[in-house]
PDB file of all heavy atoms in Angstrom:
ATOM      1  N   ASN A 393     -12.056   3.089  -8.572  1.00 86.00           N
ATOM      2  CA  ASN A 393     -13.177   3.922  -8.197  1.00 86.00           C
ATOM      3  C   ASN A 393     -13.370   5.096  -9.123  1.00 86.00           C
ATOM      4  O   ASN A 393     -14.480   5.380  -9.589  1.00 86.00           O
ATOM      5  CB  ASN A 393     -12.967   4.476  -6.766  1.00 86.00           C
ATOM      6  CG  ASN A 393     -13.522   3.562  -5.710  1.00 86.00           C
ATOM      7  OD1 ASN A 393     -14.068   2.503  -6.078  1.00 86.00           O
ATOM      8  ND2 ASN A 393     -13.406   3.913  -4.474  1.00 86.00           N
ATOM      9  N   PHE A 394     -12.273   5.739  -9.480  1.00 89.00           N
ATOM     10  CA  PHE A 394     -12.347   6.982 -10.271  1.00 89.00           C
ATOM     11  C   PHE A 394     -12.870   6.678 -11.668  1.00 89.00           C
ATOM     12  O   PHE A 394     -13.717   7.369 -12.208  1.00 89.00           O
ATOM     13  CB  PHE A 394     -11.001   7.631 -10.310  1.00 89.00           C
ATOM     14  CG  PHE A 394     -11.024   9.009 -10.896  1.00 89.00           C
ATOM     15  CD1 PHE A 394     -11.405  10.088 -10.124  1.00 89.00           C
ATOM     16  CD2 PHE A 394     -10.660   9.222 -12.231  1.00 89.00           C
ATOM     17  CE1 PHE A 394     -11.441  11.360 -10.673  1.00 89.00           C
ATOM     18  CE2 PHE A 394     -10.697  10.491 -12.757  1.00 89.00           C
ATOM     19  CZ  PHE A 394     -11.086  11.571 -11.976  1.00 89.00           C
ATOM     20  N   PHE A 395     -12.353   5.611 -12.283  1.00 91.00           N
ATOM     21  CA  PHE A 395     -12.748   5.324 -13.656  1.00 91.00           C
ATOM     22  C   PHE A 395     -13.907   4.320 -13.705  1.00 91.00           C
ATOM     23  O   PHE A 395     -14.301   3.868 -14.770  1.00 91.00           O
ATOM     24  CB  PHE A 395     -11.566   4.750 -14.440  1.00 91.00           C
ATOM     25  CG  PHE A 395     -10.462   5.752 -14.605  1.00 91.00           C
ATOM     26  CD1 PHE A 395      -9.265   5.572 -13.957  1.00 91.00           C
ATOM     27  CD2 PHE A 395     -10.632   6.881 -15.404  1.00 91.00           C
ATOM     28  CE1 PHE A 395      -8.230   6.509 -14.109  1.00 91.00           C
ATOM     29  CE2 PHE A 395      -9.619   7.800 -15.532  1.00 91.00           C
ATOM     30  CZ  PHE A 395      -8.423   7.619 -14.871  1.00 91.00           C
ATOM     31  N   ASP A 396     -14.432   3.952 -12.525  1.00 90.00           N
ATOM     32  CA  ASP A 396     -15.552   3.025 -12.426  1.00 90.00           C
ATOM     33  C   ASP A 396     -15.272   1.678 -13.132  1.00 90.00           C
ATOM     34  O   ASP A 396     -16.025   1.226 -13.971  1.00 90.00           O
ATOM     35  CB  ASP A 396     -16.810   3.693 -13.028  1.00 90.00           C
ATOM     36  CG  ASP A 396     -18.076   3.114 -12.390  1.00 90.00           C
ATOM     37  OD1 ASP A 396     -17.930   2.428 -11.378  1.00 90.00           O
ATOM     38  OD2 ASP A 396     -19.157   3.390 -12.938  1.00 90.00           O
ATOM     39  N   LEU A 397     -14.077   1.141 -12.819  1.00 90.00           N
ATOM     40  CA  LEU A 397     -13.674  -0.149 -13.417  1.00 90.00           C
ATOM     41  C   LEU A 397     -13.670  -1.208 -12.340  1.00 90.00           C
ATOM     42  O   LEU A 397     -13.541  -0.881 -11.161  1.00 90.00           O
ATOM     43  CB  LEU A 397     -12.246  -0.020 -13.988  1.00 90.00           C
ATOM     44  CG  LEU A 397     -12.076   0.914 -15.171  1.00 90.00           C
ATOM     45  CD1 LEU A 397     -10.627   1.210 -15.403  1.00 90.00           C
ATOM     46  CD2 LEU A 397     -12.702   0.326 -16.413  1.00 90.00           C
ATOM     47  N   PRO A 398     -13.769  -2.490 -12.721  1.00 87.00           N
ATOM     48  CA  PRO A 398     -13.613  -3.525 -11.686  1.00 87.00           C
ATOM     49  C   PRO A 398     -12.189  -3.577 -11.180  1.00 87.00           C
ATOM     50  O   PRO A 398     -11.223  -3.504 -11.980  1.00 87.00           O
ATOM     51  CB  PRO A 398     -14.000  -4.823 -12.442  1.00 87.00           C
ATOM     52  CG  PRO A 398     -13.810  -4.494 -13.873  1.00 87.00           C
ATOM     53  CD  PRO A 398     -14.052  -3.025 -14.038  1.00 87.00           C
ATOM     54  N   LEU A 399     -12.034  -3.696  -9.854  1.00 87.00           N
ATOM     55  CA  LEU A 399     -10.684  -3.698  -9.245  1.00 87.00           C
ATOM     56  C   LEU A 399      -9.825  -4.806  -9.836  1.00 87.00           C
ATOM     57  O   LEU A 399      -8.647  -4.608 -10.093  1.00 87.00           O
ATOM     58  CB  LEU A 399     -10.869  -3.882  -7.740  1.00 87.00           C
ATOM     59  CG  LEU A 399      -9.621  -3.728  -6.885  1.00 87.00           C
ATOM     60  CD1 LEU A 399      -9.002  -2.379  -7.068  1.00 87.00           C
ATOM     61  CD2 LEU A 399      -9.969  -3.968  -5.428  1.00 87.00           C
ATOM     62  N   MET A 400     -10.446  -5.965 -10.081  1.00 87.00           N
ATOM     63  CA  MET A 400      -9.689  -7.087 -10.599  1.00 87.00           C
ATOM     64  C   MET A 400      -9.106  -6.793 -11.956  1.00 87.00           C
ATOM     65  O   MET A 400      -7.987  -7.155 -12.270  1.00 87.00           O
ATOM     66  CB  MET A 400     -10.556  -8.369 -10.647  1.00 87.00           C
ATOM     67  CG  MET A 400      -9.753  -9.612 -10.730  1.00 87.00           C
ATOM     68  SD  MET A 400     -10.738 -11.127 -10.726  1.00 87.00           S
ATOM     69  CE  MET A 400     -11.662 -11.023  -9.248  1.00 87.00           C
ATOM     70  N   GLY A 401      -9.898  -6.062 -12.785  1.00 89.00           N
ATOM     71  CA  GLY A 401      -9.413  -5.680 -14.121  1.00 89.00           C
ATOM     72  C   GLY A 401      -8.226  -4.764 -14.014  1.00 89.00           C
ATOM     73  O   GLY A 401      -7.212  -4.931 -14.727  1.00 89.00           O
ATOM     74  N   VAL A 402      -8.283  -3.777 -13.102  1.00 92.00           N
ATOM     75  CA  VAL A 402      -7.167  -2.827 -12.947  1.00 92.00           C
ATOM     76  C   VAL A 402      -5.938  -3.563 -12.491  1.00 92.00           C
ATOM     77  O   VAL A 402      -4.828  -3.347 -12.977  1.00 92.00           O
ATOM     78  CB  VAL A 402      -7.557  -1.725 -11.935  1.00 92.00           C
ATOM     79  CG1 VAL A 402      -6.403  -0.762 -11.740  1.00 92.00           C
ATOM     80  CG2 VAL A 402      -8.790  -0.958 -12.439  1.00 92.00           C
ATOM     81  N   LEU A 403      -6.101  -4.513 -11.564  1.00 91.00           N
ATOM     82  CA  LEU A 403      -4.981  -5.253 -11.047  1.00 91.00           C
ATOM     83  C   LEU A 403      -4.327  -6.074 -12.126  1.00 91.00           C
ATOM     84  O   LEU A 403      -3.106  -6.076 -12.276  1.00 91.00           O
ATOM     85  CB  LEU A 403      -5.436  -6.181  -9.910  1.00 91.00           C
ATOM     86  CG  LEU A 403      -4.288  -6.953  -9.244  1.00 91.00           C
ATOM     87  CD1 LEU A 403      -3.707  -6.107  -8.116  1.00 91.00           C
ATOM     88  CD2 LEU A 403      -4.722  -8.267  -8.735  1.00 91.00           C
ATOM     89  N   TRP A 404      -5.154  -6.759 -12.956  1.00 92.00           N
ATOM     90  CA  TRP A 404      -4.562  -7.581 -14.023  1.00 92.00           C
ATOM     91  C   TRP A 404      -3.905  -6.720 -15.072  1.00 92.00           C
ATOM     92  O   TRP A 404      -2.886  -7.104 -15.630  1.00 92.00           O
ATOM     93  CB  TRP A 404      -5.633  -8.515 -14.610  1.00 92.00           C
ATOM     94  CG  TRP A 404      -5.675  -9.776 -13.855  1.00 92.00           C
ATOM     95  CD1 TRP A 404      -6.596 -10.184 -12.950  1.00 92.00           C
ATOM     96  CD2 TRP A 404      -4.665 -10.824 -13.890  1.00 92.00           C
ATOM     97  NE1 TRP A 404      -6.272 -11.411 -12.408  1.00 92.00           N
ATOM     98  CE2 TRP A 404      -5.086 -11.821 -12.969  1.00 92.00           C
ATOM     99  CE3 TRP A 404      -3.474 -11.005 -14.578  1.00 92.00           C
ATOM    100  CZ2 TRP A 404      -4.357 -12.981 -12.746  1.00 92.00           C
ATOM    101  CZ3 TRP A 404      -2.725 -12.162 -14.349  1.00 92.00           C
ATOM    102  CH2 TRP A 404      -3.188 -13.108 -13.434  1.00 92.00           C
ATOM    103  N   PHE A 405      -4.473  -5.529 -15.302  1.00 94.00           N
ATOM    104  CA  PHE A 405      -3.850  -4.582 -16.255  1.00 94.00           C
ATOM    105  C   PHE A 405      -2.425  -4.308 -15.798  1.00 94.00           C
ATOM    106  O   PHE A 405      -1.457  -4.371 -16.591  1.00 94.00           O
ATOM    107  CB  PHE A 405      -4.657  -3.287 -16.327  1.00 94.00           C
ATOM    108  CG  PHE A 405      -3.917  -2.205 -17.070  1.00 94.00           C
ATOM    109  CD1 PHE A 405      -3.912  -2.184 -18.456  1.00 94.00           C
ATOM    110  CD2 PHE A 405      -3.247  -1.202 -16.372  1.00 94.00           C
ATOM    111  CE1 PHE A 405      -3.218  -1.191 -19.124  1.00 94.00           C
ATOM    112  CE2 PHE A 405      -2.537  -0.212 -17.015  1.00 94.00           C
ATOM    113  CZ  PHE A 405      -2.548  -0.205 -18.409  1.00 94.00           C
ATOM    114  N   PHE A 406      -2.246  -4.043 -14.494  1.00 95.00           N
ATOM    115  CA  PHE A 406      -0.895  -3.688 -14.005  1.00 95.00           C
ATOM    116  C   PHE A 406       0.022  -4.927 -13.957  1.00 95.00           C
ATOM    117  O   PHE A 406       1.232  -4.774 -14.172  1.00 95.00           O
ATOM    118  CB  PHE A 406      -0.989  -3.029 -12.603  1.00 95.00           C
ATOM    119  CG  PHE A 406      -1.295  -1.572 -12.736  1.00 95.00           C
ATOM    120  CD1 PHE A 406      -2.535  -1.060 -12.398  1.00 95.00           C
ATOM    121  CD2 PHE A 406      -0.320  -0.670 -13.171  1.00 95.00           C
ATOM    122  CE1 PHE A 406      -2.846   0.285 -12.511  1.00 95.00           C
ATOM    123  CE2 PHE A 406      -0.590   0.662 -13.276  1.00 95.00           C
ATOM    124  CZ  PHE A 406      -1.836   1.142 -12.938  1.00 95.00           C
ATOM    125  N   ARG A 407      -0.560  -6.108 -13.683  1.00 94.00           N
ATOM    126  CA  ARG A 407       0.292  -7.284 -13.669  1.00 94.00           C
ATOM    127  C   ARG A 407       0.892  -7.540 -15.059  1.00 94.00           C
ATOM    128  O   ARG A 407       2.016  -8.001 -15.182  1.00 94.00           O
ATOM    129  CB  ARG A 407      -0.523  -8.519 -13.221  1.00 94.00           C
ATOM    130  CG  ARG A 407      -0.700  -8.534 -11.718  1.00 94.00           C
ATOM    131  CD  ARG A 407      -1.554  -9.748 -11.302  1.00 94.00           C
ATOM    132  NE  ARG A 407      -1.644  -9.791  -9.857  1.00 94.00           N
ATOM    133  CZ  ARG A 407      -2.402 -10.643  -9.177  1.00 94.00           C
ATOM    134  NH1 ARG A 407      -3.144 -11.518  -9.867  1.00 94.00           N
ATOM    135  NH2 ARG A 407      -2.439 -10.671  -7.874  1.00 94.00           N
ATOM    136  N   ILE A 408       0.111  -7.217 -16.078  1.00 95.00           N
ATOM    137  CA  ILE A 408       0.633  -7.392 -17.462  1.00 95.00           C
ATOM    138  C   ILE A 408       1.534  -6.237 -17.809  1.00 95.00           C
ATOM    139  O   ILE A 408       2.613  -6.383 -18.387  1.00 95.00           O
ATOM    140  CB  ILE A 408      -0.536  -7.546 -18.458  1.00 95.00           C
ATOM    141  CG1 ILE A 408      -1.312  -8.851 -18.108  1.00 95.00           C
ATOM    142  CG2 ILE A 408      -0.068  -7.576 -19.878  1.00 95.00           C
ATOM    143  CD1 ILE A 408      -2.668  -8.906 -18.757  1.00 95.00           C
ATOM    144  N   ALA A 409       1.099  -5.003 -17.431  1.00 95.00           N
ATOM    145  CA  ALA A 409       1.847  -3.806 -17.817  1.00 95.00           C
ATOM    146  C   ALA A 409       3.270  -3.845 -17.218  1.00 95.00           C
ATOM    147  O   ALA A 409       4.211  -3.350 -17.833  1.00 95.00           O
ATOM    148  CB  ALA A 409       1.127  -2.560 -17.335  1.00 95.00           C
ATOM    149  N   VAL A 410       3.431  -4.426 -16.026  1.00 95.00           N
ATOM    150  CA  VAL A 410       4.723  -4.365 -15.379  1.00 95.00           C
ATOM    151  C   VAL A 410       5.778  -5.156 -16.178  1.00 95.00           C
ATOM    152  O   VAL A 410       6.971  -4.929 -16.078  1.00 95.00           O
ATOM    153  CB  VAL A 410       4.623  -4.888 -13.909  1.00 95.00           C
ATOM    154  CG1 VAL A 410       4.586  -6.383 -13.829  1.00 95.00           C
ATOM    155  CG2 VAL A 410       5.741  -4.316 -13.073  1.00 95.00           C
ATOM    156  N   ILE A 411       5.286  -6.087 -17.008  1.00 96.00           N
ATOM    157  CA  ILE A 411       6.218  -6.821 -17.879  1.00 96.00           C
ATOM    158  C   ILE A 411       6.315  -6.128 -19.252  1.00 96.00           C
ATOM    159  O   ILE A 411       7.368  -5.969 -19.823  1.00 96.00           O
ATOM    160  CB  ILE A 411       5.730  -8.280 -18.052  1.00 96.00           C
ATOM    161  CG1 ILE A 411       5.785  -8.971 -16.690  1.00 96.00           C
ATOM    162  CG2 ILE A 411       6.580  -9.012 -19.071  1.00 96.00           C
ATOM    163  CD1 ILE A 411       5.014 -10.256 -16.636  1.00 96.00           C
ATOM    164  N   VAL A 412       5.158  -5.681 -19.761  1.00 97.00           N
ATOM    165  CA  VAL A 412       5.130  -5.139 -21.123  1.00 97.00           C
ATOM    166  C   VAL A 412       5.773  -3.770 -21.189  1.00 97.00           C
ATOM    167  O   VAL A 412       6.583  -3.487 -22.102  1.00 97.00           O
ATOM    168  CB  VAL A 412       3.659  -5.094 -21.642  1.00 97.00           C
ATOM    169  CG1 VAL A 412       3.585  -4.358 -22.964  1.00 97.00           C
ATOM    170  CG2 VAL A 412       3.095  -6.482 -21.725  1.00 97.00           C
ATOM    171  N   VAL A 413       5.433  -2.882 -20.207  1.00 97.00           N
ATOM    172  CA  VAL A 413       5.903  -1.489 -20.338  1.00 97.00           C
ATOM    173  C   VAL A 413       7.432  -1.382 -20.396  1.00 97.00           C
ATOM    174  O   VAL A 413       7.959  -0.672 -21.271  1.00 97.00           O
ATOM    175  CB  VAL A 413       5.303  -0.627 -19.184  1.00 97.00           C
ATOM    176  CG1 VAL A 413       5.990   0.711 -19.086  1.00 97.00           C
ATOM    177  CG2 VAL A 413       3.842  -0.499 -19.341  1.00 97.00           C
ATOM    178  N   PRO A 414       8.215  -2.083 -19.539  1.00 97.00           N
ATOM    179  CA  PRO A 414       9.663  -1.944 -19.631  1.00 97.00           C
ATOM    180  C   PRO A 414      10.190  -2.429 -20.994  1.00 97.00           C
ATOM    181  O   PRO A 414      11.079  -1.759 -21.575  1.00 97.00           O
ATOM    182  CB  PRO A 414      10.187  -2.838 -18.522  1.00 97.00           C
ATOM    183  CG  PRO A 414       9.086  -2.940 -17.533  1.00 97.00           C
ATOM    184  CD  PRO A 414       7.831  -2.885 -18.335  1.00 97.00           C
ATOM    185  N   ILE A 415       9.606  -3.514 -21.527  1.00 97.00           N
ATOM    186  CA  ILE A 415      10.125  -4.022 -22.814  1.00 97.00           C
ATOM    187  C   ILE A 415       9.811  -3.030 -23.927  1.00 97.00           C
ATOM    188  O   ILE A 415      10.677  -2.651 -24.725  1.00 97.00           O
ATOM    189  CB  ILE A 415       9.506  -5.410 -23.096  1.00 97.00           C
ATOM    190  CG1 ILE A 415       9.952  -6.413 -22.031  1.00 97.00           C
ATOM    191  CG2 ILE A 415       9.883  -5.900 -24.493  1.00 97.00           C
ATOM    192  CD1 ILE A 415       9.235  -7.744 -22.099  1.00 97.00           C
ATOM    193  N   VAL A 416       8.573  -2.548 -23.925  1.00 97.00           N
ATOM    194  CA  VAL A 416       8.193  -1.597 -24.978  1.00 97.00           C
ATOM    195  C   VAL A 416       9.039  -0.308 -24.814  1.00 97.00           C
ATOM    196  O   VAL A 416       9.529   0.246 -25.822  1.00 97.00           O
ATOM    197  CB  VAL A 416       6.684  -1.277 -24.874  1.00 97.00           C
ATOM    198  CG1 VAL A 416       6.319  -0.132 -25.798  1.00 97.00           C
ATOM    199  CG2 VAL A 416       5.865  -2.506 -25.231  1.00 97.00           C
ATOM    200  N   SER A 417       9.224   0.169 -23.577  1.00 97.00           N
ATOM    201  CA  SER A 417      10.013   1.351 -23.355  1.00 97.00           C
ATOM    202  C   SER A 417      11.390   1.207 -23.924  1.00 97.00           C
ATOM    203  O   SER A 417      11.963   2.097 -24.529  1.00 97.00           O
ATOM    204  CB  SER A 417      10.131   1.677 -21.860  1.00 97.00           C
ATOM    205  OG  SER A 417       8.863   1.679 -21.238  1.00 97.00           O
TER     206      SER A 417
END
Side-chain angles (χ1 to χ4, degrees):
Chain A
N393 270 0
F394 190 80
F395 296 111
D396 208 12
L397 294 166
L399 188 59
M400 199 178 302
V402 178
L403 185 88
W404 272 104
F405 169 80
F406 277 106
R407 282 178 176 174
I408 296 165
V410 80
I411 296 165
V412 173
V413 169
I415 297 172
V416 171
S417 309

